[in-house]
Amino acid sequence: MRDGEKMPIEIEEVIRRSEQGSTQPYICRGLNGKIFYVKGKGAGFASLLKEWIAGGLALRAGLQIAPFSLVHVPKALYEAGRRSNLADLGYGVLFGSEHVVNSSELSIVNSDAVRVQTKRDIAAFDWWVKNGDRTLTESGGNPNILWSEPSEEPFIIDHNLAFDDGVTLNSLLESHIFALQLEEICEKPELQRHYRDKFEYAVEAIDDILGDIPQRWHYADDAETVKVNFSTKSISTVLERHRSEDFWK
């Protein structure tokens, strides 16, 4: 982290491991009393990199995302449970997504309550960062969106599969939960200009976002000798696509 940045939130208790999500994060309590879904060693440090970068860009772009932060898992806490259920957690500075109180996974029923503008924002953002992991139909899916009952607002989560070269505009138009809104953007130049400006503003923060990433996350091993299979140098190629006239085609 850069000098002057906030310290990671200390984790004092690991409550249990979540049964939901492909990475099955650990549900932990921080010294600040808040509950976090913590991803670490088992999720893979490339996933943590993607979570942090996409999350930072989402905030900058004005999307409602579940609060997230760097968290610190003490080595002693990890060692105490390593032989049982903490093997995939690891220790040190990890990624924590804060629990959104009184929320549940977005369903087909309450997806209709999401504002059209919000649907556009989410769909456009996912195309920008190449995130294909937001699906939902009457048959099921994986929306990676929480719905807050008290505020009747959605919170996006889980961007560990962002920056996927296999994601195309066509694939999102076929599978994204808000494909109809994405199609609308593709048909309206005024909406395209709106998101071009929004993404230009967001990408101005990329150096700060990258600068806050812990050095450890760039390596697959504790000795920091083997690089993870994800280079932050490739990020600019993905994020500059919106400047092309073919971006929405």
Side-chain angles (χ1 to χ4, degrees):
M1 296 182 68
R2 303 191 314 267
D3 292 340
E5 290 296 323
K6 292 181 179 180
M7 294 295 291
I9 296 170
E10 194 78 1
I11 295 298
E12 65 173 351
E13 177 187 6
V14 179
I15 300 173
R16 61 181 175 85
R17 191 168 189 179
S18 174
E19 297 179 355
Q20 295 183 332
S22 60
T23 57
Q24 294 184 296
Y26 289 81
I27 302 174
C28 304
R29 189 187 313 277
L31 281 177
N32 60 0
K34 295 182 177 181
I35 302 298
F36 293 88
Y37 291 85
V38 178
K39 297 182 180 181
K41 184 178 179 181
F45 288 99
S47 292
L48 273 60
L49 289 168
K50 295 174 184 180
E51 288 274 19
W52 185 261
I53 297 168
L57 291 169
L59 281 177
R60 179 81 172 180
L63 275 76
Q64 183 110 295
I65 183 172
F68 63 93
S69 62
L70 300 177
V71 299
H72 179 261
V73 175
K75 187 174 182 179
L77 182 62
Y78 163 71
E79 291 288 355
R82 181 176 60 175
R83 295 184 179 180
S84 54
N85 63 343
L86 300 189
D88 283 343
L89 177 59
Y91 61 89
V93 181
L94 305 175
F95 179 87
S97 180
E98 189 177 317
H99 170 63
V100 178
V101 180
N102 296 322
S103 69
S104 58
E105 186 177 69
L106 187 75
S107 68
I108 282 292
V109 175
N110 50 33
S111 65
D112 289 338
V114 179
R115 292 187 294 270
V116 172
Q117 184 60 57
T118 301
K119 292 179 179 180
R120 290 192 197 119
D121 291 347
I122 295 173
F125 176 78
D126 282 340
W127 169 225
W128 185 41
V129 299
K130 289 199 166 190
N131 176 42
D133 193 24
R134 212 180 307 279
T135 62
L136 185 64
T137 67
E138 293 183 355
S139 301
N142 189 30
N144 284 319
I145 300 175
L146 300 177
W147 179 253
S148 170
E149 292 295 345
S151 63
E152 295 188 337
E153 292 179 308
F155 290 80
I156 59 175
I157 58 172
D158 289 351
H159 297 92
N160 57 292
L161 295 180
F163 307 106
D164 180 358
D165 289 337
V167 170
T168 65
L169 183 58
N170 284 337
S171 69
L172 290 183
L173 287 170
E174 291 176 358
S175 65
H176 197 276
I177 179 176
F178 301 135
L180 288 178
Q181 285 69 39
L182 184 59
E183 183 177 2
E184 180 186 13
I185 299 171
C186 292
E187 295 174 349
K188 295 184 177 180
E190 63 272 22
L191 290 177
Q192 296 170 23
R193 289 192 293 271
H194 168 74
Y195 287 107
R196 182 175 62 245
D197 293 343
K198 185 181 286 285
F199 297 155
E200 278 294 334
Y201 175 74
V203 81
E204 290 176 359
I206 191 60
D207 288 341
D208 288 340
I209 294 171
L210 295 177
D212 286 340
I213 295 174
Q215 182 69 18
R216 172 65 182 85
W217 292 8
H218 294 283
Y219 297 90
D221 61 324
D222 291 333
E224 298 185 4
T225 59
V226 180
K227 290 277 191 177
V228 298
N229 187 29
F230 177 71
S231 172
T232 56
K233 293 181 179 179
S234 64
I235 291 296
S236 59
T237 301
V238 175
L239 299 181
E240 291 173 1
R241 293 166 24 256
H242 71 282
R243 297 169 183 165
S244 169
E245 293 184 0
D246 295 332
F247 183 65
W248 296 106
K249 297 179 181 179

